[in-house]
Each structure stands twice: as C-alpha cells, then as structure tokens.
Amino acid sequence: MEFFESFDSYQEAWRNRQRAEEWLDYYRFRRLSFVPNLLPEQALAMPAEEVIGILRARFGKAIDLALSETWTSPEPFEPLPPELMSPVQSFPDSDWLKRTRMVGVNIRTIGNFFNLVKYCLTLPDFYDSIHILPVWEPGVVASIYGMSSWQINREFYSMELAELFPWLNRVERQLKAVIHLLHVMGRAVGMDVIPHTDRFSEMALAFPEYFEWMQRRGLEIVDHSTGLIHRVQACIWKFVQDHGSAVEGLAIPESAEEFFSPHTGEKERNLILFGLPEDFWGRLNRRMAIIQELYARGFETVPATMAPPFRGIEVDPSPEAEVVDEFGMVWRDFRMIRPTPMSRVFNPLARYRLYEHKENGEDWELDFNQPVKPVWEYVCSHYAEVQRCFGFDFMRGDMSHVQMRPEGVPDQVDDYYDLLGAVKETIRQRNHVPFFGYFAESFLPPRDVMGYGEEMDHLEASHADVTLGDLQSTCMGTAEFLQRFRYYDDLLRTRKCAPSFTVMTSDKDDPRFDRFYLDGNEARAFLSLFLTDMPSYVALGFETRDPHPEPAPNEYYTKLYVFQEKRGNKVTRGAFQWGRNTRLFANLQRIRLFYERIREDIADSTTRWLIPPDATGMNPVVAWTQMGDHPVFVFVVNTCPHCKAGRFGLPLSPAFRLRLCFALPASSDEELVYNGVHFVVPGLMPGEVRAYQVETYREG
C-alpha cells in the first residue's frame, strides 16, 4: 500500500478517484477498520449518500435502524435494538475508560454532526471513544463553553442529511442518529458537562436563585450579598409585567414570588420569559431585552474563576478591560483581589451557586456545610436527561480542577462535595448505566496551584475515572516531558484515577503552543497507542497538523473555533483549514496499520518497563514489554527528536530472540545481539520508534 509523503501527493490525492475506490474497499469488506490514505478533508467532502452506502456495505441493516424515524426520536425508547447498543453497554462499571483511545472533536471545525461520521472513516476503530465538545447553544462570543440554554446548537445541523432522510429535520434528531451510527461503528460517545453557563444564559434568567449576583456601578462592585437575588428576580418579573408572556395565551403568575417559586416549572418559566424552544431568534431577542433591563440597574452574575483563592473579585480598571457591545452597553472585566500565579476570571461565564454564603457574602466566603440542594438537583437532573435521551456513554467534566475548599478534600466526602462527580453518579444510578464514565479536565499541577490540596485526591473524591493531564503542554525531547511522563506512570499504577497520555487537545492548538508540535509527533503518537494500559487523548487536526515555526493564519488552529470572536487577534474568517502535512499523515498511518496488525496480541496487556521514563529527565530512551512469562513484543522509543541515542542494553531474558518488525524511520538492525548481560541496541535516530517481536525461546 502506498503512502502520501509530499505536498504533491496531497494534491494528487484529490484527483485519484480510482485508487480511492480501492481504498474504500479495504473498509467496506472489513480488511481494515478504517479507510486507508483518506485525508480527513477528503472524507468531509464525500456526499452523505456515498458515506451511508459505505457504512451499509460494512454494517448492514444496523445503519438503517440508526437513521430510522423511530429510533431517532428525541424521546428515549427502551430497550434499543441490539444493533444500536453502545459498545460499552454490558460493562459492569466505568473502568473501560481507563484504557480508552479517545479523540476529541469540536463540531465547529467540521461543520455539522453528520460530518463526524465521515471523519470517523479515517480513524482506526481502536480509537474507541469520541469526545464531542459542547453541543449547546452558545452565548457571549459564541463560546461553546458558555452555554446559553439547554437547546442543541442549531449551527450543527446537516442539510444534506435532512434531504436524504426528511424526518431528520431537527438538530436533536440528527445528533441522536449520529450517536447511533458511532455506536454501530464501535465507538463510545462522550458529552461535555459544564459547571457554569453564559453570564446571562436562559438558565440564569429563569433561575436567578441558582446563580450568584452582584451589582456594579462603574468601577465599583457595590453589592454582592445573597439578598441581591430577590432584587434581580423583581427586575425580571417587572419585565414580564411590562412586556407580557413570550407565548401568547399563557397565564402569568401574579407576583415575582409565585413566578420564581418551585411550583412554577422550568418549562412554564421558559415559555413566558423566552418563547418556544424552536423559535431561536425570538428567544434570543427576549433574552437580550431582559439583559438590558438588568444592565440598567447594574445587575450581573458573578463570573466563574480558576485557581486559588477562587473568591474575591474587583473591577479591572485598565482601559483594555472595557468592552462595548453591539447594543452600546459597557461591560467591564474583573480580576482577583489577591491573585496567585494561576488565578483567572472567566468574565463571560457564570458558575452555579452551589453553596450558601457565609455572613451574607460580605467576604466572598462560602459555607461548604450548606449546599444549595435545588441547584445540584437542577444540574444533575438536566444532564441525566440528556444522557437518557441521546445515549452518551461518558462525560468530559469541564474545569474538573476546581477545588474551592481551602482545607482540600474534607474528612468526610458527601454527595455535595463536587458537582461533576454528582452528575456522574446521578446518571449512573438514575439511568441504570453503571458503565457511564467520567473523563476529567484537569492538569495534575503541584499542590495548591490549580485547586486547594492534591489534585489527584480531589479527582478520586469526585469519582473521576481518567484525567486529561498536561503532557500535551510539554515538548518532546525535554526533561520536563520525561519527568511528567514518569510521574503519570507512577500515578497510573498507584491511584484510582488514571492519567491520560494526551497528544493534543483542541484548546492547546493555537499559536501560543506551536512549539509543542514542531517535531517528535510520531514518537508521541506511538507512545499513546502502544502503552496499552494508559488511556490516551488526541484532538481532530493532529493527523495533518503543519509545523508552524511562525504563527499561521488563525483558520489553521482548532482552538480558535471554540469561540467566534469578531474583533482582536483571535478572529477567524471562514472554515477551519486542515494542515497539509502529508508526511506526518503517512507516518501516523504506518503506526496505525502496525498497531491494527498486532492489537489482539497486546490489547489487554500490562506494561512491564525495561527502561522507564527517566525521572531525572536525562535519558531520552524508553523501552517496555508486556507482563508475564511470555512477552510478545518489545517497544523502544527515542523521545528526543533532536539527538541520537547511543548504544544501550535491554534487560531481558537470554531465552528470547528479538526480531525487528517495525521501525520509523526504517532501520537495518534486523535482530538484536545478546552480549551475555543485555540485548544490545546499537543506537536510535532522533525521534525513532521500534518494535521487536519476541519470536522463540533459545535452547539452553
């Protein structure tokens, strides 16, 4: 099989349709679990009808079930046909997540939900889980992490899918169909669970009592007490009195107390305040009108914060901290009063009010012994309903590193310790899905840096199965990479929450982090696959990402599609542009094909280190095999992409023979020599990866 290795071959790929049909047959007839030589942007350009035909050839009637009018109804049906069951449905717990190979996808980079299915044609099925970045309607700067409602983002709607299947005429139906298709293709599917909303989301306006509020006049926060909530409610109630219900004919409760009482359900509140769920522009206009009423009185939600001390903010007086929106309203950014190095205020976001204030909030302190239980139930029940309706298999918990208790993990961990952990457990128990897992967005920093106490203690207390970690923020060939890698391996073997070998994330793909991906990418990908007992994560776009010694146009970075800036240096104009690094694509494909060939021999193995990651950061070589008396392969990697690794030995029994079966770049060292003490590796090229098959026992 030939591979693309140059820019010219990238161009040729678009013209060679006859060969493309041959490659598609590798997938149709199950010779491979993915379509070889298919660039992601080629896959996205394929007509939906052709893609569905390919899937039917491979999976049969399951594809028609996945797309059928019955099984794509937003109302959940139980049980599903066996053909549509999740590949992790039968697992007794969420431990499966600790060995997953996960791919993160921001749907904005590919246009719509159905294009995710097309993209998956390029992924071998050992990439067995897909993390879909947030799917909700966005708010300020259209950030997908600033959800403005519980409605699915209408920009992810596929016209071509609706034309083929007229009943798939709602974005909710299309999302459900795509999740069914991914399950048929052998992928678990994860949703983002977000512990905050847009600063003036429908949730914050319909349930102001579920958020913290403050009153600002110019450069001063004049009030941030708990009692402010009632004044906000009165302001919203006055708007309803003055403008009436958004849906004609609905009876309006007679007072603010009645309107915001538990007896007025969320559906009724939303209809009165915003209008019908399908009326996007009507809901948006009503929301903006309410925001203007609140703005006139200086009412704002308290913004979300990151890193200790978490609490205590003030208005940032600097000129650049002033923003004037399209309606002429002047907003100010905020900053921490007593910041630490990692402290940050997320001005467009509002965190849920999870605990009561101490002393009416005068010193910004929270009383962790007084959880606001209706808020916890609101958030947990909503995400549980989303899981039940769409069939998600796991959650990625946004900002899982937030541990706001100065004493760290308390002596007694109860049901109100961590919101993300509560969401996971609610879904597992209420929906009877014990397999439902929790992938945490946290970075394993030193103690008291991103949260209070030890982050791994916090993650385990919050029921996280896997954490993202921060390997993607280190350059290959550095001592920092090796030391962090060693630390993660130690955690993997001693703690309940497994660190991930993270290759790239969507929010580390912007010009600030170009240096991480200048070289060493093949070795990074090799490690993420062949360390079979460590979970891994990679984001869409890595497979053809160009090296950027100088910043590229914004359209080449996935991070800049998390939001939609209209001004400043983060503006994007047009669609996401894939890299043209066909050499990386070809090398990764070689690695993937080799893994596919040997996966059954190593899939469930436990790593036995021969040369572990050097805790001093001095030795760039790592080598490992499998636990047990009869290892099958030995893997060797030079993690430094700039320097050769000199002669070294592998401490393995002389009863074995080690025959080279894979090397990148190619090597002539067919068999290693045993010198009476070690198997001797003559040396490795910069960034070289190798695999040796353990063939036979030697006599005597």
Side-chain angles (χ1 to χ4, degrees):
M1 189 181 299
E2 297 175 1
F3 302 98
F4 303 134
E5 293 187 355
S6 69
F7 180 80
D8 290 340
S9 62
Y10 172 93
Q11 300 287 63
E12 184 67 20
W14 289 95
R15 297 191 290 268
N16 198 341
R17 293 299 296 169
Q18 182 178 356
R19 287 300 308 277
E21 283 301 310
E22 289 182 38
W23 301 330
L24 289 171
D25 282 346
Y26 278 91
Y27 182 76
R28 285 190 186 102
F29 303 120
R30 296 180 178 268
R31 295 172 61 188
L32 288 174
S33 68
F34 68 106
V35 181
N37 292 340
L38 182 66
L39 294 165
E41 56 185 312
Q42 282 183 293
L44 300 185
M46 295 171 65
E49 189 169 14
E50 180 182 1
V51 171
I52 291 167
I54 293 167
L55 294 175
R56 282 176 175 146
R58 185 178 177 95
F59 298 106
K61 71 173 185 177
I63 300 303
D64 292 307
L65 284 172
L67 295 165
S68 68
E69 186 170 8
T70 298
W71 299 113
T72 55
S73 168
E75 295 299 321
F77 286 84
E78 295 179 0
L80 286 170
E83 295 89 343
L84 302 184
M85 300 289 275
S86 163
V88 298
Q89 182 82 29
S90 61
F91 288 13
D93 53 39
S94 52
D95 279 356
W96 64 270
L97 201 61
K98 296 178 182 180
R99 283 179 174 258
T100 193
R101 301 281 173 263
M102 191 179 297
V103 179
V105 180
N106 178 357
I107 300 297
R108 255 194 203 138
T109 59
I110 55 176
N112 60 66
F113 286 130
F114 187 68
N115 279 352
L116 177 54
V117 176
K118 299 180 183 181
Y119 173 65
C120 282
L121 293 177
T122 72
L123 298 175
D125 64 5
F126 48 77
Y127 287 105
D128 55 2
S129 61
I130 304 293
H131 160 222
I132 304 178
L133 272 66
V135 298
W136 326 105
E137 288 180 342
V140 177
V141 300
S143 170
I144 58 177
Y145 283 98
M147 56 194 294
S148 66
S149 78
W150 290 105
Q151 305 299 321
I152 303 299
N153 193 342
R154 58 202 289 275
E155 68 180 283
F156 299 157
Y157 181 81
S158 167
M159 287 294 296
E160 65 171 346
L161 193 62
E163 289 172 0
L164 285 175
F165 305 97
W167 56 87
L168 298 181
N169 57 357
R170 293 174 54 192
V171 69
E172 294 83 5
R173 278 186 172 270
Q174 293 192 357
L175 174 57
K176 193 158 187 176
V178 165
I179 292 174
H180 284 330
L181 289 171
L182 294 177
H183 282 166
V184 171
M185 297 169 79
R187 269 73 184 218
V189 187
M191 63 173 168
D192 242 290
V193 171
I194 308 173
H196 49 257
T197 73
D198 178 69
R199 65 187 305 179
F200 289 109
S201 63
E202 289 186 5
M203 301 79 123
L205 301 180
F207 291 90
E209 64 272 26
Y210 290 176
F211 294 82
E212 291 187 77
W213 292 83
M214 61 187 178
Q215 187 175 29
R216 175 179 63 87
R217 293 197 183 109
L219 298 179
E220 183 182 3
I221 299 173
V222 297
D223 191 358
H224 56 85
S225 64
T226 305
L228 195 62
I229 291 172
H230 300 297
R231 294 166 59 194
V232 173
Q233 289 175 330
C235 179
I236 295 172
W237 171 245
K238 185 178 185 304
F239 174 88
V240 174
Q241 286 183 308
D242 292 344
H243 296 84
S245 171
V247 176
E248 292 186 13
L250 285 183
I252 299 175
E254 296 181 358
S255 66
E257 291 75 14
E258 184 181 352
F259 183 70
F260 288 107
S261 77
H263 301 296
T264 304
E266 181 176 17
K267 182 177 180 181
E268 184 178 354
R269 285 195 202 185
N270 285 342
L271 290 173
I272 291 173
L273 286 173
F274 312 116
L276 297 170
E278 58 269 24
D279 182 9
F280 171 78
W281 292 109
R283 287 188 292 109
L284 179 60
N285 290 334
R286 287 278 292 200
R287 188 160 64 91
M288 291 308 304
I290 297 171
I291 292 170
Q292 289 172 318
E293 293 285 340
L294 294 169
Y295 171 82
R297 293 161 178 79
F299 296 143
E300 303 179 34
T301 49
V302 174
T305 57
M306 180 179 81
F310 291 108
R311 309 291 295 169
I313 62 171
E314 62 185 1
V315 178
D316 186 341
S318 58
E320 60 270 19
E322 179 179 284
V323 177
V324 181
D325 69 17
E326 57 191 297
F327 298 95
M329 293 184 286
V330 180
W331 304 99
R332 302 292 312 192
D333 287 346
F334 299 88
R335 65 187 184 187
M336 303 301 297
I337 296 172
R338 293 179 292 275
T340 57
M342 295 302 295
S343 296
R344 182 177 174 186
V345 180
F346 293 94
N347 295 285
L349 307 178
R351 184 169 281 271
Y352 287 100
R353 186 172 74 96
L354 301 177
Y355 305 97
E356 298 288 359
H357 288 151
K358 287 184 177 179
E359 299 179 355
N360 202 29
E362 290 183 11
D363 293 322
W364 296 97
E365 288 190 68
L366 297 175
D367 187 346
F368 297 108
N369 293 317
Q370 292 194 65
V372 186
K373 294 182 180 181
V375 177
W376 292 72
E377 173 58 24
Y378 175 82
V379 178
C380 291
S381 62
H382 264 286
Y383 280 113
E385 182 64 14
V386 169
Q387 190 282 328
R388 193 174 72 90
C389 287
F390 293 103
F392 287 106
D393 304 297
F394 68 95
M395 56 181 268
R396 181 265 196 186
D398 188 45
M399 293 179 68
S400 301
H401 46 77
V402 172
Q403 154 56 297
M404 301 180 73
R405 305 185 186 216
E407 75 276 13
V409 178
D411 293 339
Q412 294 296 321
V413 177
D414 61 18
D415 293 339
Y416 300 98
Y417 167 70
D418 179 77
L419 181 63
L420 294 169
V423 169
K424 176 196 173 180
E425 291 305 302
T426 298
I427 290 173
R428 291 179 71 245
Q429 295 169 22
R430 197 170 294 179
N431 295 352
H432 308 291
V433 285
F435 59 84
F436 188 83
Y438 170 18
F439 182 92
E441 188 221 12
S442 67
F443 308 111
L444 298 175
R447 183 183 181 88
D448 297 328
V449 170
M450 295 292 288
Y452 289 110
E454 292 289 346
E455 189 160 281
M456 187 56 80
D457 291 347
H458 164 63
L459 293 171
E460 291 181 332
S462 58
H463 309 291
D465 299 291
V466 177
T467 184
L468 180 72
D470 210 20
L471 272 180
Q472 76 279 11
S473 296
T474 59
C475 294
M476 296 291 288
T478 63
E480 182 184 20
F481 168 80
L482 286 164
Q483 290 164 346
R484 197 168 295 181
F485 184 12
R486 175 60 175 267
Y487 174 52
Y488 287 12
D489 187 72
D490 291 343
L491 291 174
L492 178 72
R493 302 184 196 289
T494 58
R495 305 301 294 258
K496 293 179 181 178
C497 178
S500 175
F501 193 105
T502 303
V503 176
M504 187 183 91
T505 64
S506 292
D507 57 359
K508 283 293 189 291
D509 181 29
D510 76 26
R512 296 172 299 165
F513 307 114
D514 276 336
R515 68 187 186 279
F516 299 151
Y517 310 109
L518 290 176
D519 42 35
N521 294 309
E522 289 89 344
R524 196 189 292 261
F526 188 90
L527 287 161
S528 74
L529 284 180
F530 290 89
L531 289 168
T532 52
D533 51 357
M534 178 177 278
S536 70
Y537 185 100
V538 67
L540 168 149
F542 175 77
E543 55 268 84
T544 58
R545 193 186 193 280
D546 297 317
H548 299 149
E550 300 294 332
N554 286 351
E555 291 74 27
Y556 285 86
Y557 297 97
T558 58
K559 169 61 182 285
L560 300 180
Y561 288 86
V562 168
F563 34 72
Q564 292 177 334
E565 292 279 10
K566 296 181 179 179
R567 58 175 70 90
N569 61 3
K570 296 180 180 179
V571 173
T572 52
R573 297 176 175 86
F576 170 69
Q577 300 297 306
W578 293 84
R580 298 194 168 193
N581 192 348
T582 48
R583 181 173 297 277
L584 174 62
F585 179 81
N587 286 339
L588 294 182
Q589 183 166 253
R590 286 189 61 197
I591 292 170
R592 291 172 173 183
L593 287 167
F594 176 63
Y595 186 88
E596 182 145 309
R597 178 159 62 87
I598 71 168
R599 62 187 294 192
E600 291 186 4
D601 294 321
I602 63 172
D604 298 321
S605 64
T606 298
T607 297
R608 174 192 165 197
W609 287 108
L610 303 176
I611 305 175
D614 185 0
T616 70
M618 297 177 64
N619 180 13
V621 173
V622 295
W624 69 98
T625 185
Q626 300 80 48
M627 285 290 190
D629 295 332
H630 306 290
V632 185
F633 292 93
V634 170
F635 303 107
V636 184
V637 177
N638 179 4
T639 65
C640 181
H642 315 294
C643 54
K644 293 182 179 180
R647 180 185 177 95
F648 62 92
L650 296 176
L652 202 64
S653 166
F656 300 125
R657 290 180 58 199
L658 302 185
R659 182 181 61 82
L660 185 71
C661 55
F662 182 84
L664 185 69
S667 172
S668 59
D669 300 329
E670 293 295 333
E671 186 174 337
L672 296 185
V673 174
Y674 185 74
N675 67 1
V677 182
H678 305 109
F679 284 93
V680 179
V681 181
L684 295 174
M685 297 294 290
E688 184 177 356
V689 302
R690 293 187 188 179
Y692 292 92
Q693 188 162 12
V694 182
E695 276 197 324
T696 62
Y697 289 99
R698 296 177 186 269
E699 293 293 335

